[in-house]
């Protein structure tokens, strides 16, 4: 039934195919989300090409909805080594460049004579794909598609919290103790996921060797999640270079608990 509600695609080139489909995802026991996706496949030639996709509301192609312009540009592709989520990591690809620009603001690219260094700060676990525009030594421009796998680290500490849905509106408080194990005076900052639900204090502090700091955590606004689910909440203690020193994983389970009464 959902498929019949999708649009119809017409393409302007034999090198391009497009099809629509419906996707349904369960958000909770009582809530689902549905959306339409357009899958595009293109034959990549040696030169850039341009084609158009017209979306129609009807199968007879009489009621146009949108027109998309698809520009296909050939480029090199590199996949780097995996980097951990929660910190900034440096990886390199074998693309020499005098100047280079990253299309993703989460990636800082530095061109060198023998390679290009990438300072990557992942937004989430999974894969990051972005385009690099590099100026070669001979004055020519080159486009490079980069893929960086981003993996979750092994947490230093773990905690599990079960929360009944009836109490999702009440805040939960926790405290963590962090010790500076480095032999030097260092500055640390806290990086968290679920920022709207996981405020922490202090967000930044400095410690001398072996000095400790108590971190206050407030888990709040869980009713906005909507229904049951498991929330992996991460807290990363990073240094001034945004490298993770310790990580805390708090798994919050929202559940519908049914009270048991004696017969």
């Amino acid at each position: 039934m959902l498929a019949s509600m999708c649009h119809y695609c017409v393409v302007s080139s034999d090198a391009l195919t497009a099809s629509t489909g419906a996707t349904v995802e369960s958000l909770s026991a009582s809530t689902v989300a549905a959306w339409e996706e357009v899958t595009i496949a293109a034959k990549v030639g040696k030169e850039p090409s341009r084609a158009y996709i017209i979306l129609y509301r009807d199968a007879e192609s009489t009621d146009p909805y949108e027109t998309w312009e698809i520009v296909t540009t050939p480029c090199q592709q590199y996949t780097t080594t995996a980097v951990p989520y929660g910190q900034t990591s440096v990886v390199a690809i074998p693309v020499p460049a005098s100047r280079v620009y990253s299309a993703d603001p989460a990636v800082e690219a530095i061109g060198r004579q023998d390679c290009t260094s990438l300072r990557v700060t992942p937004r989430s676990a999974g894969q990051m794909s972005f385009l690099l525009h590099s100026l070669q030594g001979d004055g020519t421009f080159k486009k490079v598609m980069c893929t960086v796998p981003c993996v979750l680290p092994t947490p230093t500490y773990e905690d599990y919290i079960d929360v009944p849905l009836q109490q999702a509106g009440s805040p939960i408080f926790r405290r963590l103790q962090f010790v500076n194990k480095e032999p030097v005076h260092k500055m640390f900052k806290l990086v968290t996921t679920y920022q709207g639900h996981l405020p922490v204090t202090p967000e930044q502090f400095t410690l001398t060797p072996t000095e400790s700091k108590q971190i206050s955590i407030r888990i709040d606004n869980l009713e906005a999640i909507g229904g049951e689910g498991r929330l992996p909440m991460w807290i990363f203690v990073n240094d001034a270079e945004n490298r993770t020193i310790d990580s805390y994983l708090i798994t919050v389970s929202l559940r519908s608990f049914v009270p048991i009464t004696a017969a």
Side-chain angles (χ1 to χ4, degrees):
M1 180 178 178
L2 287 176
S4 63
M5 300 172 62
C6 295
H7 292 85
Y8 299 86
C9 295
V10 174
V11 298
S12 64
S13 171
D14 294 337
L16 193 71
T17 61
S19 61
T20 57
T23 301
V24 179
E25 180 179 348
S26 176
L27 300 181
S28 67
S30 58
T31 306
V32 297
W35 63 89
E36 182 180 1
E37 291 183 346
V38 179
T39 301
I40 301 172
K43 295 179 181 179
V44 181
K46 295 182 179 181
E47 300 295 332
S49 62
R50 189 184 308 268
Y52 297 90
I53 299 175
I54 304 176
L55 300 176
Y56 289 92
R57 295 185 176 90
D58 61 331
E60 292 75 22
S61 302
T62 61
D63 188 7
Y65 174 65
E66 287 184 352
T67 300
W68 297 357
E69 182 183 52
I70 308 297
V71 178
T72 305
T73 303
C75 60
Q76 290 180 292
Q77 195 276 335
Y78 290 98
T79 299
T80 70
T81 56
V83 301
Y85 172 59
Q87 69 173 27
T88 298
S89 301
V90 179
V91 293
I93 58 173
V95 177
S98 57
R99 297 179 63 183
V100 63
Y101 166 76
S102 169
D104 191 329
V107 179
E108 178 187 359
I110 303 173
R112 306 184 188 279
Q113 291 184 351
D114 56 343
C115 67
T116 295
S117 296
L118 305 174
R119 288 178 51 87
V120 183
T121 306
R123 297 185 186 88
S124 61
Q127 283 195 344
M128 294 179 61
S129 294
F130 52 91
L131 198 63
L132 291 178
H133 304 270
S134 63
L135 177 63
Q136 307 299 296
D138 58 0
T140 60
F141 280 95
K142 179 184 293 185
K143 292 185 177 183
V144 179
M145 176 62 68
C146 291
T147 300
V148 181
C150 307
V151 298
L152 290 172
T154 301
T156 311
Y157 306 99
E158 287 189 76
D159 193 10
Y160 299 87
I161 303 175
D162 286 325
V163 180
L165 284 178
Q166 298 85 345
Q167 301 177 12
S170 302
I172 301 170
F173 298 94
R174 289 290 190 275
R175 289 182 178 179
L176 302 173
Q177 197 78 10
F178 174 76
V179 179
N180 180 16
K181 306 180 184 67
E182 302 292 327
V184 294
H185 186 279
K186 297 197 70 172
M187 186 275 288
F188 301 94
K189 60 181 179 179
L190 301 182
V191 179
T192 66
T193 59
Y194 289 92
Q195 293 185 2
H197 308 278
L198 190 63
V200 292
T201 54
E203 296 181 353
Q204 184 173 306
F205 51 89
T206 57
L207 295 176
T208 58
T210 70
E211 186 181 3
S212 64
K213 188 70 175 181
Q214 194 172 78
I215 301 171
S216 298
I217 303 171
R218 178 188 175 103
I219 303 174
D220 204 356
N221 199 29
L222 294 178
E223 72 274 12
I225 301 297
E228 296 181 321
R230 290 170 60 88
L231 310 177
M233 296 184 169
W234 286 84
I235 301 173
F236 301 96
V237 183
N238 293 357
D239 61 13
E241 288 74 36
N242 203 35
R243 293 176 299 188
T244 298
I245 305 301
D246 279 350
S247 59
Y248 302 84
L249 172 59
I250 303 175
T251 302
V252 179
S253 296
L254 291 171
R255 299 182 182 179
S256 298
F257 289 93
V258 179
I260 300 176
T261 57

